[in-house]
Amino acid sequence: MLEDLILTVLMTSVPLVYAATGELIVERSGVLNLGVEGMMLMGAVSAFGIAMVSGSLVLGVIAGGLAGMLTAALFGILVLGFATNQVATGLALTIFGAGLSGLLGAPLIGHAIEGLPVLRIPFLSELPTVGKLVFSHDLMAYGAVILVAAVAYFLKRTRAGLVLRAIGDNHDSAHALGYSVLGVRFMAVLFGGLMAGFGGAYLPLMLTPHWAEGMTAGRGWIALALVVFASWMPWRVLVGALIFGGITIMQLAGQARGWTIPSQFLSMLPYLATIVVLVLISRNREFSLANSPACLGRAFHAGK
Amino acid sequence: MKHLLKGIAVGLAALAVSTGAAMAEPLKVGFLYLGTPGDHGWTYAHELARQKVEAHFGDKVETTFVENVPEGPDAARVTRELANTGHDIIFGTSFGFMDPMLKVSKDFPEVKFEHITGYKRSANMATGNIRFYEGRYVQGIVAGMMTKTNKIGYIAPFPIPEAYQGLNAFAIGMREANPDAEIMVIWANTWEDPVKEADAAKVLVAQGADVMAQHTDTPAMLQIAEKAGLHGFGQASDMKKFAPNAQLFSSVNDWSHYYIEKIQQVMDGTWSTGEGPDHWAGNTWKGMADDYLVLSAFENMPADVKAAAEKAAAKIEGGYNIFTGPIKDNKGNVVVKAGEALNDGTLWSDIFFYAEGIQGEMPG
């Protein structure tokens, strides 16, 4: 029983890990994209539509990622090409994504598909407890952990990661050194869109295999909060997503067990926890700013 | 964010309304929708009913609908816009449109207003609702007979009278069929969040529930039940497609009878909001007997359960009051005495209790 609950926590965290890790890369390059929710919705509707029509979940996942990336490209062109305000453009992207996904998804209402299958590993999946908790997931869940590891390695150990961080911290110096600030940022924005699309795709492909308008229900915003929560460190995103998922599931389980705490308060808990951690992190200025990209949200003009 | 989005939608919709061609002949009927028919639940049911209105009256009516109307001041603007553009009767299909519509109704005495699921009225604003709880009583009986673990999962929306009516009717039915069964309730505090509903369902399954009911709008719970090889009930529209092996039946809302009846009354000049001490006198609150609430086919259950469900449905259609005493709460206190029953008025005020069989404490 406890195993089932933990399994639920892991699954509910997966889309957050994808979307937040993608946004982490975007922000590390110095761009603030508040449109995660919109990109996730575009990913979700495309993934479901393609999976339903083609019957292939893999194609669905790919379509979800590409749709997120395409939505992000729009953001990138506006913000990087025309140097529009990042906050306003990001908000507009969320509204745009919500509206367009609703329009595209209208014919998909009322249809269901089979969800992603669990990957059975011979022998390992049969182990007691560990088999169920560690070796009985779908491909995307394993992918989430691999993604975090890869992003952590990329940022810390690779030259390209160093360039990305340099651009996020001081775009003028990076430009003076000859790096293409806008080029790198555009790639980062595309990557962020791809990951948000994957995260969105996980909802209708795995968590609840149907499409409903606005089905992300604010998870894109949680992903954004997680990036700050994680103080721009990849592994902390994973931890944060698990904490968030854990509290979400705990409050549901608590209700089912008849805990005498108002359900409204329990529903609020995950968000409250996020705020508390944000306050705790922000108290220590050195700590909170250590990894914070100095150029976050600032437009870059090559001429100056 | 959602409000901003809705604001834009309202602006566009209002524009569409004001530029719409105004034919003098047909009766103009306006609808305010909370969401879009894309919810495949609440608003979808209203949209189906609107289509039936058009099919029924043909070119004798002209209907207008405005989607994504936010509850609050924007609803007043949309209502006013509809009234200004010559609509003869306006249906507001969400609880939160009540006060805005009430306000506007006083400025347009010649226009008829119909508010759904609320309780406030004026000289030209009436109230309409469906007895959703009747279907839940039948669900309770079926759940009580189907469960092997004696644990039933129930996903509730917000702690409002309508939700308590449904939950308690379910518990009363369940205990009539199976005195040992218990209900685990999760208040989702949302009408529509498929991922949260799915999470709640998984948690209920993990805690041993083998039959689940829901008052939230999406088929997420049924999909979890299907995957786990368990059973559940659908909400607002028939959700069989999502869970062909798990769905026992759905309680389906059919608003078309109400719309057609009211529009006909306006045409005939007999429309009224009624009078009388009983809260619902003159207004509309009908259920299974009048096909406002329709139960989809009883499936995936043994013959004896199906027979019991049919019997219970017939009993309700015959006018049986589910809230007839004695009814005890889950602490053993008598809340409705033997020989007494909750009437339509007290169903909205004296309903705040957990009937026998519901575990835990009431929220707030």
Side-chain angles (χ1 to χ4, degrees):
Chain A
M1 192 192 81
L2 189 65
E3 289 170 13
D4 290 325
L5 286 181
I6 294 173
L7 211 58
T8 308
V9 171
L10 297 180
M11 282 181 64
T12 216
S13 311
V14 170
L16 295 176
V17 173
Y18 276 101
T21 308
E23 177 68 12
L24 183 139
I25 287 289
V26 179
E27 292 192 12
R28 272 297 183 96
S29 83
V31 179
L32 181 65
N33 185 354
L34 295 180
V36 181
E37 180 90 356
M39 298 188 296
M40 282 181 83
L41 278 169
M42 287 302 293
V45 74
S46 311
F48 183 79
I50 296 297
M52 199 184 91
V53 173
S54 71
S56 159
L57 291 163
V58 176
L59 281 182
V61 173
I62 294 169
L66 288 180
M69 199 154 99
L70 218 60
T71 319
L74 187 68
F75 172 84
I77 290 165
L78 290 172
V79 160
L80 301 172
F82 297 98
T84 59
N85 180 292
Q86 294 184 5
V87 171
T89 312
L91 288 174
L93 195 71
T94 287
I95 301 173
F96 171 76
L100 187 61
S101 64
L103 189 70
L104 293 174
L108 304 176
I109 301 281
H111 296 281
I113 53 166
E114 288 283 317
L116 285 175
V118 160
L119 208 62
R120 289 263 162 222
I121 305 164
F123 178 67
L124 289 178
S125 297
E126 315 305 325
L127 292 173
T129 310
V130 179
K132 194 160 183 180
L133 292 183
V134 184
F135 299 111
S136 300
H137 296 286
D138 54 274
L139 267 179
M140 284 193 81
Y142 295 117
V145 180
I146 295 168
L147 169 72
V148 170
V151 164
Y153 179 82
F154 167 79
L155 283 176
K156 199 148 189 174
R157 302 260 178 251
T158 67
R159 191 178 163 77
L162 186 68
V163 171
L164 181 95
R165 284 191 285 141
I167 287 171
D169 276 331
N170 191 333
H171 49 213
D172 293 320
S173 305
H175 177 65
L177 286 172
Y179 293 114
S180 166
V181 172
L182 295 180
V184 169
R185 283 187 175 170
F186 193 66
M187 296 302 284
V189 165
L190 290 185
F191 179 78
L194 183 71
M195 292 303 125
F198 282 155
Y202 196 72
L203 305 180
L205 293 188
M206 194 57 205
L207 290 181
T208 167
H210 70 272
W211 161 253
E213 226 182 294
M215 74 184 302
T216 48
R219 282 169 187 82
W221 298 104
I222 298 297
L224 273 162
L226 275 176
V227 177
V228 187
F229 177 102
S231 51
W232 294 273
M233 299 291 275
W235 286 109
R236 291 184 197 157
V237 165
L238 191 66
V239 174
L242 287 173
I243 292 176
F244 185 84
I247 295 174
T248 305
I249 298 305
M250 194 186 74
Q251 70 97 354
L252 295 173
Q255 283 197 55
R257 292 181 164 207
W259 287 0
T260 56
I261 306 169
S263 68
Q264 295 92 333
F265 178 77
L266 292 172
S267 293
M268 200 175 76
L269 259 187
Y271 305 91
L272 197 68
T274 307
I275 294 171
V276 167
V277 173
L278 287 182
V279 168
L280 288 178
I281 289 177
S282 305
R283 272 171 60 99
N284 187 335
R285 209 172 149 68
E286 248 171 58
F287 181 77
S288 67
L289 292 182
N291 302 307
S292 160
C295 287
L296 185 60
R298 281 170 48 196
F300 171 72
H301 301 277
K304 282 189 228 168
Chain B
M1 184 46 48
K2 211 164 179 184
H3 285 284
L4 197 57
L5 186 69
K6 282 180 176 172
I8 292 169
V10 168
L12 288 174
L15 201 69
V17 167
S18 57
T19 54
M23 292 271 289
E25 285 299 312
L27 190 83
K28 287 186 79 173
V29 185
F31 294 89
L32 277 73
Y33 292 165
L34 179 67
T36 69
D39 65 359
H40 205 258
W42 181 257
T43 298
Y44 177 68
H46 286 288
E47 171 60 15
L48 286 184
R50 188 194 63 81
Q51 289 170 8
K52 284 189 192 168
V53 165
E54 291 209 318
H56 179 84
F57 288 107
D59 48 11
K60 283 196 283 182
V61 295
E62 185 188 321
T63 64
T64 311
F65 61 94
V66 185
E67 296 177 347
N68 281 323
V69 179
E71 299 184 320
D74 281 334
R77 271 196 289 281
V78 177
T79 310
R80 197 176 290 280
E81 189 63 40
L82 287 171
N84 266 328
T85 48
H87 287 82
D88 303 285
I89 180 165
I90 297 168
F91 293 93
T93 65
S94 184
F95 180 83
F97 299 158
M98 180 167 65
D99 288 321
M101 285 181 73
L102 192 74
K103 213 172 86 189
V104 176
S105 76
K106 288 170 182 156
D107 299 338
F108 295 90
E110 75 289 355
V111 178
K112 315 285 187 269
F113 294 85
E114 288 277 350
H115 179 249
I116 281 165
T117 68
Y119 55 87
K120 290 185 186 169
R121 289 179 284 162
S122 70
N124 56 331
M125 178 163 136
T127 311
N129 208 343
I130 293 179
R131 296 179 188 272
F132 307 108
Y133 65 85
E134 291 181 347
R136 294 187 198 284
Y137 170 74
V138 182
Q139 291 182 3
I141 287 174
V142 171
M145 294 178 78
M146 291 294 291
T147 181
K148 294 194 172 60
T149 59
N150 280 339
K151 286 180 182 171
I152 313 286
Y154 195 107
I155 305 174
F158 296 95
I160 57 172
E162 185 194 307
Y164 279 102
Q165 290 163 8
L167 178 59
N168 284 327
F170 186 97
I172 290 166
M174 180 193 78
R175 277 299 171 101
E176 279 177 20
N178 179 352
D180 298 321
E182 298 273 349
I183 300 172
M184 298 183 284
V185 187
I186 290 182
W187 292 91
N189 288 307
T190 177
W191 288 106
E192 193 192 356
D193 179 345
V195 176
K196 190 171 184 184
E197 291 169 59
D199 280 345
K202 285 182 205 161
V203 166
L204 289 167
V205 171
Q207 316 248 28
D210 61 349
V211 180
M212 290 184 283
Q214 62 175 5
H215 200 142
T216 45
D217 281 342
T218 81
M221 175 275 276
L222 275 173
Q223 289 189 310
I224 300 297
E226 179 84 14
K227 210 173 167 188
L230 304 173
H231 291 103
F233 304 94
Q235 156 86 352
S237 63
D238 191 352
M239 295 177 170
K240 183 184 173 180
K241 226 193 275 183
F242 295 96
N245 302 305
Q247 176 175 291
L248 297 162
F249 67 88
S250 288
S251 299
V252 180
N253 306 339
D254 185 352
W255 297 94
S256 64
H257 309 289
Y258 162 62
Y259 289 159
I260 290 171
E261 196 180 309
K262 286 297 181 170
I263 292 168
Q264 191 63 50
Q265 285 176 5
V266 175
M267 288 174 169
D268 299 345
T270 56
W271 187 91
S272 90
T273 59
E275 294 300 331
D278 182 348
H279 183 82
W280 286 92
N283 290 282
T284 310
W285 195 19
K286 293 182 180 173
M288 285 163 57
D290 298 284
D291 288 336
Y292 279 50
L293 189 71
V294 182
L295 306 187
S296 69
F298 300 135
E299 290 175 313
N300 301 318
M301 60 182 86
D304 62 321
V305 182
K306 193 175 169 184
E310 279 161 358
K311 202 175 133 199
K315 196 164 87 171
I316 290 173
E317 282 169 19
Y320 171 69
N321 185 337
I322 295 160
F323 296 99
T324 302
I327 298 173
K328 284 184 186 166
D329 69 13
N330 65 357
K331 303 214 166 44
N333 306 312
V334 176
V335 282
V336 182
K337 291 195 198 85
E340 290 180 8
L342 293 180
N343 63 29
D344 286 358
T346 49
L347 269 180
W348 293 86
S349 52
D350 296 351
I351 195 69
F352 295 101
F353 60 88
Y354 266 5
E356 244 180 336
I358 304 171
Q359 288 181 343
E361 302 271 339
M362 287 199 302

